[in-house]
Structures are given as structure tokens and as C-alpha cells.
Amino acid sequence: EIVLTQSPDFQSVTPKEKVTFTCRASQSIGTSLHWYQQKPDQSPKLLIKYASQSFSGVPSRFSGSGSGTDFTLTINSLEAEDAATYYCHQSSSLPHTFGQGTKLEIK
Amino acid sequence: QITLKEAGPTLVRPTQTLTLSCTLSAFSFTTGGVAVGWIRQPPGKALEWLALIYWDDDKRYSPSLKGRLTITKDPSKNQVVLTMSNMDPVDTGTYYCALASGIPEFGYFFDYWGQGTLVTVSS
């Protein structure tokens, strides 16, 4: 089973700043890595598919990069509505797995 | 607009079997190259992938729960059903169904999610 490790576990930033989260896979997964945003008491929403492809309707301030074992999610010019927990998910091999999440607080 | 809605009991006794259904709207199982998955989330914790059923009825399960899980689909009702046997309090959490799309060679992502249903396991 592929383990995804996200860092940091928690980050607090001010509006308009830029933030970057990382997701590291325990073995190479190519670009089969996806990012989701989950706000409190809501279901997750897909942001980025296959490491760098934005999902339809996602604001352009969200971007992803990486391949192999190291991936990043970047949010430019943070807005208050971006407060959420962000999860990475690998679909390279079964079973699919999720990272433990990074909680983002907007000061 | 594709929507998914989970349904099932909110309270289950230990050792009982949980049965959850996921009804999809604006979707047809004749659509090739898609799958429907189940993901759960214990209170305050991370997401956990449980099972996936493909359009061609191929099925995959989490190894840690295999033996307890069964996933089936009923195209006539546009439904996917998950059963989990021998429920335990550690199985308490929100259970989501989600539509999976993508490129088979690179695996599927979950692009549409249900609202989730909270299941509590307690005597």
C-alpha cells in the first residue's frame, strides 16, 4: 500500500499570502495524484487531478505540480474562503490512499 | 448536473451488518470508463478509501477491510450498495460515495461526491 505523507499538518496564514503544501508518496506514482479541499461539515471537492490539471470551475489561484514521489499544491493570493483541510489522493495503484490532510487557517 | 446521495441507518449495533446505498442522478451506468467508490471519515480524522466498482462490474476493496466489504451496483435503479459486516465502534464515521472518472492507465479521481451519511456504531 502506498503511503501519502502531507506537510505541514497545520498552517496559519494571512489573506493575500501564497501558501504551498506538500504530499510525499512512499513510492513513485507518476502523476496519479489528486488534491481535494474539504471545508467543515462539507464533502471533499476536487481541485487538481493528475498532479497539475485544474478541475472545472476551480479558481485559478489553485495550482499543482510534481511527479514521482513529491507533489505540491499552491494557493496564490489566499482568500478567507480557502480555510479548509486539503487532502492528496493517489490512484496509481490499489488500494487508493489519501494523505492525512493539511488544515489551513486564515488569520 | 450529476448528484449522488447516500442513504442508510444512522445507528448500527456492534457485530451487525451495515448496508448503505448511493443513488446517482443525471448519470448512467452505461457510461464507460467510470466507477463509483466509497470513502469514509471518522470524526475529526482523515479520509479512508474503502471500495470501488467499475462500469464493467469489476470490483476492488481495501485490503484492511476485505472480507467485511461487498460492493454491488443496480443499473436499473442507478444505485451502488455497500455492505460492511461485523461493525465495530471504530467504524463510526461519515461514509461518502463518489463518482470516479479519469484515465484507466493512471487511475481514477473522485470528481463528484455525495453529502455523506454519518454512521454511529454503538450498543
Side-chain angles (χ1 to χ4, degrees):
Chain A
E1 174 174 313
I2 295 174
V3 176
L4 297 179
T5 303
Q6 294 184 238
S7 61
D9 289 330
F10 175 84
Q11 191 153 6
S12 181
V13 295
T14 55
K16 300 187 180 178
E17 274 191 58
K18 173 178 132 177
V19 68
T20 298
F21 307 139
T22 65
C23 177
R24 177 162 289 172
S26 58
Q27 63 191 73
S28 180
I29 57 173
T31 57
S32 297
L33 191 285
H34 322 292
W35 291 96
Y36 302 85
Q37 176 194 65
Q38 186 179 33
K39 296 182 180 180
D41 298 319
Q42 292 187 19
S43 37
K45 291 182 169 58
L46 178 67
L47 295 174
I48 303 290
K49 55 182 180 170
Y50 298 124
S52 62
Q53 298 174 22
S54 294
F55 184 59
S56 175
V58 173
S60 58
R61 63 181 181 276
F62 292 91
S63 63
S65 65
S67 66
T69 60
D70 294 306
F71 302 85
T72 60
L73 173 70
T74 299
I75 312 175
N76 285 296
S77 192
L78 275 163
E79 298 187 6
E81 66 181 26
D82 298 333
T85 300
Y86 293 83
Y87 292 96
C88 55
H89 156 227
Q90 69 82 20
S91 62
S92 173
S93 66
L94 293 162
H96 289 200
T97 47
F98 289 89
Q100 84 278 15
T102 291
K103 185 173 182 178
L104 175 65
E105 175 190 86
I106 311 296
K107 293 176 184 173
Chain B
Q1 171 75 358
I2 295 173
T3 61
L4 299 90
K5 186 163 187 177
E6 305 88 349
T10 57
L11 178 65
V12 175
R13 306 299 181 192
T15 74
Q16 285 187 334
T17 294
L18 170 69
T19 300
L20 295 172
S21 65
C22 173
T23 302
L24 295 92
S25 301
F27 170 80
S28 171
F29 277 108
T30 58
T31 304
V34 295
V36 174
W38 286 93
I39 303 100
R40 72 177 177 181
Q41 186 172 37
K45 296 190 177 181
L47 302 165
E48 180 185 9
W49 183 88
L50 300 179
L52 203 59
I53 185 165
Y54 295 87
W55 81 98
D56 61 358
D57 213 39
D58 191 16
K59 301 163 188 178
R60 294 289 185 264
Y61 298 100
S62 168
S64 63
L65 293 168
K66 195 170 184 179
R68 296 179 57 203
L69 295 175
T70 303
I71 190 169
T72 59
K73 61 178 170 63
D74 184 342
S76 67
K77 296 180 181 178
N78 254 14
Q79 270 188 357
V80 171
V81 174
L82 180 77
T83 62
M84 181 181 294
S85 62
N86 195 24
M87 293 291 284
D88 183 272
V90 299
D91 297 313
T92 294
T94 298
Y95 287 71
Y96 297 98
C97 64
L99 181 65
S101 307
I103 307 166
E105 294 80 2
F106 299 105
Y108 291 173
F109 49 84
F110 295 108
D111 46 358
Y112 294 93
W113 293 66
Q115 64 191 23
T117 184
L118 177 60
V119 178
T120 301
V121 185
S122 174
S123 55

